Amino acid sequence: KNILATAKEDISNEAYLLLLFLFSTGCRRGEAAAITFERVDFENSKITIAENKIVVDRQEYIKSPKTASGRREIFIPKILLDELKKAKRDYDVLKFKGGPEFVDSNCIFHKQDGSSYSPMGLSNIYWRFFKRHPELKRLKMHACRHTFCSILLSNNATNIKLLPVNS
């Protein structure tokens, strides 16, 4: 079995959405932690990456992406779009049931109380998934970015900026 098929059957829906999101967008974990449903264009199947969440001295901050070209629109596959629609419905139900205690972060990756995960929180979801599935090869979270680029290249994508490898 591959990683996504295993994640789809995993006890954690968070792990599946996170892995699918990372493999489908190539986002950094801080970008994934900052992304809100407002950044998803459900009509045109694309997502806008415009923020990055960082933690300094245990305090979370939202800032612009790591590089100037980090602000970008990414077309997303139907499978991710469908999962994001489902996640939005689930979020709205949680918000309704949560009442005044609900923290309305509107983040795609959120806790049961609505508050957003930190980048480390997403890493914990990621690594706990691999711990539950020792039969899978453990990939570093950043490797999802490389997988995303490999998929783009194999599908003859254009407008890809290639950078030199430092040796």
Side-chain angles (χ1 to χ4, degrees), residues 64-132:
S64 51
K66 190 175 175 180
T67 63
S69 61
R71 183 176 168 83
R72 62 207 182 274
E73 286 187 339
I74 302 169
F75 286 95
I76 55 176
K78 184 178 182 328
I79 187 171
L80 177 57
L81 184 67
D82 291 344
E83 288 298 322
L84 290 172
K85 286 177 182 176
K86 182 176 169 251
K88 176 62 172 144
R89 285 192 302 270
D90 293 347
Y91 180 85
D92 289 341
V93 168
L94 269 180
K95 182 178 173 180
F96 178 76
K97 289 181 177 178
E101 293 84 33
F102 188 79
V103 179
D104 191 7
S105 69
N106 205 31
C107 284
I108 291 171
F109 300 104
H110 59 274
K111 302 171 193 170
Q112 284 299 109
D113 69 352
S115 63
S116 63
Y117 279 108
S118 67
M120 184 56 74
L122 293 185
S123 291
N124 290 338
I125 293 168
Y126 185 87
W127 289 116
R128 281 194 301 263
F129 167 76
F130 281 101
K131 197 170 190 176
R132 285 191 301 275

Side-chain angles (χ1 to χ4, degrees), residues 69 72-73 75 148-149 152-153 156-162:
S69 61
R72 62 207 182 274
E73 286 187 339
F75 286 95
F148 169 73
C149 291
L152 286 178
L153 288 171
N156 298 318
T158 58
N159 196 21
I160 297 175
K161 181 179 178 182
L162 299 176

Side-chain angles (χ1 to χ4, degrees), residues 26-46:
C27 283
R28 296 173 178 90
R29 70 180 187 152
E31 293 168 340
I35 196 81
T36 62
F37 288 108
E38 294 161 344
R39 297 290 183 190
V40 181
D41 181 344
F42 290 102
E43 295 296 314
N44 297 302
S45 300
K46 61 185 174 181

Side-chain angles (χ1 to χ4, degrees), residues 1-2 6-7 129-138:
K1 269 189 180 175
N2 70 32
T6 303
F129 167 76
F130 281 101
K131 197 170 190 176
R132 285 191 301 275
H133 299 282
E135 73 279 9
L136 296 174
K137 180 181 178 191
R138 287 183 178 215

